[in-house]
Structures are given as structure tokens and as C-alpha cells.
């Protein structure tokens, strides 16, 4: 079967791309591996920061609901519980559809234009006992409490003080868990002070210049030992501290889920600022494979608002290529999106992201010259 536009991934970037393209008249199919589209938005019960243009003060779950309602109005086709297992020539996809293993089927779909918006996966920290039940990514803990309504543990140790570690720590406390401490190997916290102050005011200590040494337990986590680190990131003997916990959550950053673009043959670029291997793309979010576009965390780890804007950019660019919007109108819209992206990347943390993104685009331009 054929589809005009196919989007792999129904998270913020994928839904935004689908809505933008469909709103301009394209016929769009979204493929998502989950039982519900929306991605990380439905785990984000906190209110977004930013400007009115980016729904400041609105909770992520409400943004996700609004996106799904808009997609439905625009008649975006969404396949849930569906996984792309192969990308072949001419943008032909092998898609495994169905949650029940006995009733799964593989469908072949050829896309005229393809958007890859697979998002990211969590990094891990390896330490003695890290495979014990009870050790999990912070994102997994967030899914358990905010989506499945299951408490991952009564006493939790959080590893990592970026925004994910800080926000999930607070949400674990809201869900009824006791967050005994937050551990950060760097000299200072990595996330926003406003998030850190919430948990410190609640009495949660943040141990900077510390790392986790090992998880204690036989069948599952029963405790954890942390220690200070020196300037070479090595544990300092005699500084060990023991915590009685039944869960350890790891918030050690994310890496782009770029395997689909690798499978498609897109040229890649390694940048630690972006989180690892990312696909090279131009200012329209088109990869080095003509007709294959990328958006969201697959292009480099940033915030949900940035993913939404990159999705919109890809959607407009595709609609332009399909002749659904004039080049002049498309350029105006794309310029507005780039201006908003610049605003999102403004500041000490965003500047590095902006420079990394410019290097990524420069790689594409250098290649096609």
C-alpha cells in the first residue's frame, strides 16, 4: 500500500509534523509503537516553561491531548501498537502491527515522503548491582507513576540532577514515594534551580561530587552505597554513605534513537552535545536521503517545545515539496519557526545547542556542494 506522508513516531515532533502537513492538505499516516500516541507529553504532569507561543503554564498531558484532538480533526491516520522493523529502497517500510503476539501482522507501506521522529532512549550508569530489579531509568519510573499509576518503590535514590532527575524526583514524592537523596557527580546541579528548590525545600538532600558505587540486595534492591568523587571522577575512599532504598532511578541523560535513519542509509554525524549519533539534515529538516525528514530528539536532545517546532518545520517543508503550499508562503512560515527555535535555544545552555545544530546543518551543506 502507498501513503503520501508517513511519520514514524507519535510523540511531540511526529504529531506536530503530521498536523502541519495535514493542515496544509497532505494525507498523513502516523506509526507509533505505544498503545496511545503523544509520547513523553503524557508523562509530563508539570507545567511547561517558556512563552505563550509555547503554551507556558500548560501541563504536558494537556498539550498531548490537544495535539491528538487536532490530529483527529485533520483526519490524520494513526496506527498504534505498530513498530517499523525495516526501511527499504524508495521509502518502503515493513511495519509489525498488533499488540497480541498471536495476531500480529507485517504490512508493507511505501511513503512518498517520510518523517522519522523516533525520539530518544535513556542512558544507563553501570555499577555493581545495576541489573538488580528496582534499578531503572528515571523515565521508566515516570511512566510507572504518571501513566500506569504504579509506585516503583517506597524509598528511592535518584542518580542525576538534570531537569529529568529533578522533575521526576518531585513527581515521585507527589506519588507518595520517599526520595531519600539525589546524587550528582558534577560539582553543581545540572537542571534549573526552580526544580531543585522544590525538592530541597521538601527536605531531599542533593549530594554533588558524588556517585553511586553499588546497589545492595539479593533478589531486588534493598540499599545503595554512594561516595564522593575526586577531580578525576574517581571514588574517594572513606566517604561512603549507605541508604536503605528499594528503588534506584537513573537520570543520566538521553541519546537519540537514530537507528531508523541509519537503516535508511542517511549520513550521520557524532556530536556529544547532541547526545551522540544524529542524522545530518538541512534547514528544512531533510536528511541526506531525499524525501526522508527528521525531527525532535532524533536530531539532538532538547526540550519538547523544540521537538514541536522541528516537527512543524518538517511538516511545512514536506507540504511545500508536495505542492500544497506556495514556496513564498512556506518560506514565511519556516522563517517564523526558525525564529521561535532561536528563542528556545537562547541562553547559556541553549547556545551550545544552537551551535551544535548549525554544525549539523553545515555538514549537510558541505556535503551537497
Amino acid at each position: 500500500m502507498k501513503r503520501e506522508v508517513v511519520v514514524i513516531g507519535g510523540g511531540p515532533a511526529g504529531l506536530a509534523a503530521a498536523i502541519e502537513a495535514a493542515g496544509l492538505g497532505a494525507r498523513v499516516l502516523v506509526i507509533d509503537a505505544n498503545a496511545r500516541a503523544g509520547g513523553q507529553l503524557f508523562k509530563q504532569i508539570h507545567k511547561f516553561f517558556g512563552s505563550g507561543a509555547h503554551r507556558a503554564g500548560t501541563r504536558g498531558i494537556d498539550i498531548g491531548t490537544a495535539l491528538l484532538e487536532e490530529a483527529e480533526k485533520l483526519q490524520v491516520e494513526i496506527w498504534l501498537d505498530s513498530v517499523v522493523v525495516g526501511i527499504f529502497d524508495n521509502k518502503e517500510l515493513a511495519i509489525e502491527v498488533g499488540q497480541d503476539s498471536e495476531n500480529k501482522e507485517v504490512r508493507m507501506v511505501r511513503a512518498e515522503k517520510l518523517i522519522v521522529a523516533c525520539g530518544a532512549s535513556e542512558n544507563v550508569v553501570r555499577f555493581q548491582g545495576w541489573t538488580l530489579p528496582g534499578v531503572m531509568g528515571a523515565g521508566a519510573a515516570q511512566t510507572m507513576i504518571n501513566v500506569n499509576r504504579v509506585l516503583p518503590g517506597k524509598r528511592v535514590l535518584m542518580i542525576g540532577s538534570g531537569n529529568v532527575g529533578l522533575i521526576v524526583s518531585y513527581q515521585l514524592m507527589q506519588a507518595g514515594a520517599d526520595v531519600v537523596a539525589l546524587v550528582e557527580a558534577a560539582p553543581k546541579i545540572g537542571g534549573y534551580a526552580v526544580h531543585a528548590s522544590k525538592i530541597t525545600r521538601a527536605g531531599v538532600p542533593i549530594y554533588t561530587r558524588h556517585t553511586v558505587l553499588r546497589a545492595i540486595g539479593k533478589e531486588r534492591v534493598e540499599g545503595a552505597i554512594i561516595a564522593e568523587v575526586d577531580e578525576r571522577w574517581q571514588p574517594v575512599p572513606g566517604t561512603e554513605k549507605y541508604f536503605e532504598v528499594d528503588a534506584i532511578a537513573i537520570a543520566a541523560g538521553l541519546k537519540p534513537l537514530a537507528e531508523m535513519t541509519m537503516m535508511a542509509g542517511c549520513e550521520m554525524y557524532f556530536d556529544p552535545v547532541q547526545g551522540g549519533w544524529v542524522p545530518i539534515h538541512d534547514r528544512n529538516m531533510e536528511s541526506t536521503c531525499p524525501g526522508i525528514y527528521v525531527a525532535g530528539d532524533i536530531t539532538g536532545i532538547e526540550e519538547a517545545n523544540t521537538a514541536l517546532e522541528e516537527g512543524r518545520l518538517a511538516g511545512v517543508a514536506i507540504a511545500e515539496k508536495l505542492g500544497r503550499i506556495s514556496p513564498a508562503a512556506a518560506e514565511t512560515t519556516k522563517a517564523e519557526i526558525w525564529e521561535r527555535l532561536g528563542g528556545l535555544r537562547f541562553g547559556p545552555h541553549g547556545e551550545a545547542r544552537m551551535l551544535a545544530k548549525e554544525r549539523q546543518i553545515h555538514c549537510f551543506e558541505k556535503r551537497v556542494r
Side-chain angles (χ1 to χ4, degrees):
M1 64 182 76
K2 295 182 180 180
R3 290 294 188 274
E4 191 170 37
V5 180
V6 177
V7 182
I8 304 176
L15 285 178
I19 289 167
E20 202 69 41
L24 292 168
R27 297 181 298 278
V28 183
L29 166 65
V30 174
I31 301 164
D32 195 85
N34 300 297
R36 182 186 194 185
Q40 301 301 309
L41 291 171
F42 285 98
K43 295 168 27 175
Q44 296 173 344
I45 62 173
H46 55 281
K47 295 180 179 179
F48 273 32
F49 286 165
S51 64
H54 295 108
R55 311 191 197 194
T58 306
R59 299 185 188 280
I61 53 175
D62 296 327
I63 295 173
T65 299
L67 288 173
L68 290 179
E69 289 174 352
E70 192 171 357
E72 184 178 3
K73 288 179 183 177
L74 292 169
Q75 298 183 324
V76 173
E77 186 180 4
I78 300 178
W79 292 0
L80 300 174
D81 296 315
S82 301
V83 179
V84 176
V85 294
I87 299 180
F88 307 98
D89 294 339
N90 299 318
K91 297 178 285 297
E92 187 170 21
L93 311 176
I95 307 166
E96 190 176 65
V97 181
Q99 190 177 43
D100 187 348
S101 59
E102 295 183 358
N103 297 315
K104 282 184 180 180
E105 62 172 315
V106 175
R107 300 176 187 173
M108 302 300 295
V109 176
R110 178 166 294 175
E112 186 173 344
K113 302 294 181 183
L114 177 64
I115 303 173
V116 184
C118 298
S121 62
E122 294 189 273
N123 293 326
V124 299
V125 176
R126 294 173 178 84
F127 48 88
Q128 186 177 339
W130 74 287
T131 59
L132 278 172
V135 179
M136 67 194 73
Q142 191 181 39
T143 300
M144 292 176 71
I145 55 176
N146 293 346
V147 178
N148 300 319
R149 303 295 191 265
V150 175
L151 199 63
K154 294 181 179 179
R155 292 175 58 82
V156 183
L157 177 70
M158 179 65 70
I159 311 299
S161 72
N163 285 326
V164 171
L166 297 171
I167 290 171
V168 175
S169 291
Y170 188 70
Q171 291 176 356
L172 281 165
M173 295 163 65
Q174 289 179 303
D178 178 13
V179 178
V180 300
L182 191 147
V183 179
E184 172 58 62
K188 59 182 182 179
I189 62 170
Y192 295 139
V194 64
H195 296 316
S197 65
K198 281 185 177 181
I199 64 172
T200 55
R201 284 200 305 267
V204 178
I206 299 178
Y207 292 92
T208 56
R209 294 187 185 275
H210 279 72
T211 190
V212 59
L213 292 184
R214 61 182 177 272
I216 307 297
K218 294 183 178 180
E219 300 297 326
R220 60 162 296 115
V221 173
E222 298 173 6
I225 296 177
I226 69 170
E228 291 182 30
V229 295
D230 58 24
E231 64 278 1
R232 295 173 298 170
W233 309 99
Q234 298 301 306
V236 178
T239 63
E240 295 85 358
K241 301 177 183 66
Y242 172 79
F243 294 95
E244 182 182 339
V245 296
D246 56 0
I248 300 173
I250 303 170
L254 305 169
K255 57 180 177 292
L257 274 172
E259 289 82 358
M260 283 295 165
T261 51
M262 294 178 184
M263 188 185 299
C266 302
E267 290 191 25
M268 309 298 291
Y269 169 80
F270 186 84
D271 188 343
V273 174
Q274 302 279 56
W277 287 102
V278 291
I280 296 170
H281 63 79
D282 66 7
R283 297 189 70 83
N284 290 324
M285 307 308 296
E286 189 171 15
S287 73
T288 55
C289 293
I292 298 181
Y293 294 73
V294 291
D297 279 348
I298 191 175
T299 74
I301 306 302
E302 295 188 85
E303 302 289 341
N305 282 327
T306 309
L308 287 164
E309 294 291 7
E310 286 193 345
R312 293 181 184 116
L313 190 60
V316 171
I318 284 177
E320 180 186 8
K321 285 289 183 71
L322 293 172
R324 304 304 174 84
I325 182 175
S326 70
E331 283 306 312
T332 298
T333 302
K334 288 187 288 187
E336 292 171 352
I337 295 172
W338 272 109
E339 185 176 355
R340 293 197 296 269
L341 280 168
L344 289 168
R345 291 167 176 152
F346 179 78
H349 295 289
E351 184 178 359
R353 301 289 186 191
M354 178 64 84
L355 292 173
K357 183 62 65 175
E358 291 297 332
R359 286 196 300 270
Q360 201 173 354
I361 294 172
H362 175 72
C363 284
F364 182 95
E365 293 172 344
K366 184 178 179 181
R367 173 194 174 276
V368 299
R369 284 195 186 110

